[in-house]
Amino acid sequence: AQSVAQPEDQVNVAEGNPLTVKCTYSVSGNPYLFWYVQYPNRGLQFLLKYITGDNLVKGSYGFEAEFNKSQTSFHLKKPSALVSDSALYFCAVRDSRGYQKVTFGTGTKLQVIP
Amino acid sequence: KAGVTQTPRYLIKTRGQQVTLSCSPISGHRSVSWYQQTPGQGLQFLFEYFSETQRNKGNFPGRFSGRQFSNSRSEMNVSTLELGDSALYLCASSLGQGAGNTIYFGEGSWLTVV
């Protein structure tokens, strides 16, 4: 079975400060990991994914995520937060073995304070 | 390139009725999946289709059904609506059924059951 955990329901950060949104996962095989962002009353937008290769993945809007196999984590980061980054962020995992569905975390609300 | 298109965007139904939601995937995408999003339960996987075949199914009652057509369009149907079915229903598409394929979401269909 695969699972993903986002331990923080909400993260508050001041504009201009670095931000981190945490994600840990559990899969039987190798993980394929994804981050999505959802703005109010909208669908989910893809930010970035890790399949293989470099542990630091760069994505849209200046976001990046670091894959850490030993800690089974895939934290989302941005060096300097913008007020417009305020949204709901979802981490997702899919086992590379077999044909599994994508499992999403419960989401973390990011609030960037001006 | 047009994104995932879902219709209708908003609808209100009465308890006991049935509803059909439609999804047009990104051109060339052959895999379509459906999710239910509610404040209490987060993102819940409903089902996934590839080449008109259901590949995965979530833990929803039989009142929830779906299908995919030869042109990759998909519909989902909910019969005998209950108040608890009120949710945002999200459709997503991906190029293929490989685990590393990115899934792209539509804007969703807001269903309110009264």
Side-chain angles (χ1 to χ4, degrees), chain A residues 29-73:
Chain A
N30 291 320
Y32 291 161
L33 296 154
F34 306 82
W35 275 103
Y36 288 84
V37 59
Q38 185 178 34
Y39 297 98
N41 301 318
R42 305 293 298 276
L44 278 67
Q45 293 179 32
F46 169 71
L47 282 177
L48 52 81
K49 70 178 179 182
Y50 171 82
I51 301 299
T52 187
D54 195 348
N55 289 342
L56 185 64
V57 180
K58 294 189 183 295
S60 306
Y61 312 120
F63 284 94
E64 58 188 28
E66 187 167 10
F67 171 66
N68 188 316
K69 188 173 184 178
S70 62
Q71 297 186 6
T72 61
S73 67

Side-chain angles (χ1 to χ4, degrees), chain A residues 32 34 36 38 41-46 49 51 88 90 94-96 98-102 104-106, chain B residues 9-10 31 35 37 43 45 48 50 55-56 88 90 97-108 110:
Chain A
Y32 291 161
F34 306 82
Y36 288 84
Q38 185 178 34
N41 301 318
R42 305 293 298 276
L44 278 67
Q45 293 179 32
F46 169 71
K49 70 178 179 182
I51 301 299
L88 188 58
F90 289 94
R94 196 170 197 174
D95 197 323
S96 63
Y99 188 68
Q100 306 291 328
K101 65 179 183 178
V102 178
F104 284 84
T106 52
Chain B
R9 288 295 318 280
Y10 304 91
S31 180
Y35 296 82
Q37 186 177 21
L43 268 171
F45 172 79
E48 183 175 11
F50 180 81
R55 298 294 182 175
N56 272 303
L88 176 64
L90 291 163
Q97 59 177 344
N101 279 284
T102 301
I103 63 172
Y104 296 92
F105 285 84
E107 294 294 310
W110 285 96

Side-chain angles (χ1 to χ4, degrees), chain A residues 3-5 22-27 29 31 33 66-75 91 93:
Chain A
S3 65
V4 61
K22 295 179 180 177
C23 172
T24 59
Y25 66 89
S26 174
V27 294
L33 296 154
E66 187 167 10
F67 171 66
N68 188 316
K69 188 173 184 178
S70 62
Q71 297 186 6
T72 61
S73 67
F74 190 57
H75 301 330
C91 180
V93 68

